Amino acid sequence: MQSIPRLITAAAVCFFFISSIALAQLEYKSGILWDRPERVEGAMPVCTPAPEGAVVLFDGGDITKTFDNAQNWVVKDGYAEVHGGSITSKQSFGSCKIHLEWAEPEKVVSSSQGRGNSGVYIMGKYEVQILDSYNNETYFDGQCGSIYKQAPPLKNVCRKPGEWQSYDITFTAPKFDEKGNVTRKARLTVVQNGIVVQDDFELLGGTFWYKPPVYEAHEPKLPLSLQDHGNPVRFRNIWVQEIDD
Ligand code: MG
């Protein structure tokens, strides 16, 4: 007869394997064998002040005035550091230009998707990845500058951990008919540190970790989110310019 400790150990091992299999099945991977994005050294952030008429989402002041769930983010010396959950803009946007600056944690911790992960979730659904991709291997369509699990960046222009970087994003919102079918797909151009890393890419749908991209009908305007993936990424100078369409 087996001892109780042995049975407990066997049960724990079974649970571990079953959980691992379940988790492995949950994650979606495109399976596309992308070329490695070319590495570009020396790209510099473009730190543009908010133009007239832009919606300022963060300028170093009280981030809770413009974002929900931001009460735990650490605001200091003009930046806001991820802490205590993803934040969502109080204002909704459709097609727009988004400017933001961010810095990866200076202290390098973990690897792959665990290193300096955050993200710009446009309309809360379409993620432009933020990751420390300076000497950090991960799947190419999940590295910094990617449209998550849809398109790797055209180039890897990431600066060192702790250095400020910039995104200038031009987003064309999708349109849907009354039946919920997409009639105009979303498009993204992303300029990172002054270099084009996504060139008018037509999105395949929403970006998901657990399933392939798919369009799910939604309102013409929705809030913007910044992701808390458990890493203390810093943000500054965030503004949005709406585009009429
Ligand atoms: Mg992310």
Side-chain angles (χ1 to χ4, degrees), residues 105-160:
E106 201 165 352
K107 186 180 173 200
V108 171
V109 175
S110 192
S111 61
S112 186
Q113 294 290 304
R115 186 183 297 181
N117 196 333
S118 181
V120 187
Y121 276 77
I122 303 163
M123 305 192 96
K125 296 175 180 296
Y126 308 104
E127 184 187 12
V128 177
Q129 175 71 301
I130 288 177
L131 195 76
D132 179 358
S133 290
Y134 190 89
N135 294 333
N136 180 32
E137 284 288 311
T138 191
Y139 42 93
F140 299 140
D141 54 9
Q143 73 179 62
C144 195
S146 67
I147 294 166
Y148 188 64
K149 293 197 169 176
Q150 295 190 29
L154 298 171
K155 294 185 167 119
N156 180 347
V157 301
C158 287
R159 290 166 57 76
K160 290 179 184 168

Side-chain angles (χ1 to χ4, degrees), residues 78-96:
Y79 64 78
E81 187 175 286
V82 172
H83 186 74
S86 302
I87 60 174
T88 304
S89 66
K90 291 181 189 289
Q91 188 164 334
S92 291
F93 304 99
S95 296
C96 61

Side-chain angles (χ1 to χ4, degrees), residues 1-4 6-7:
M1 188 192 281
Q2 288 187 319
S3 66
I4 288 175
R6 271 190 183 173
L7 282 172

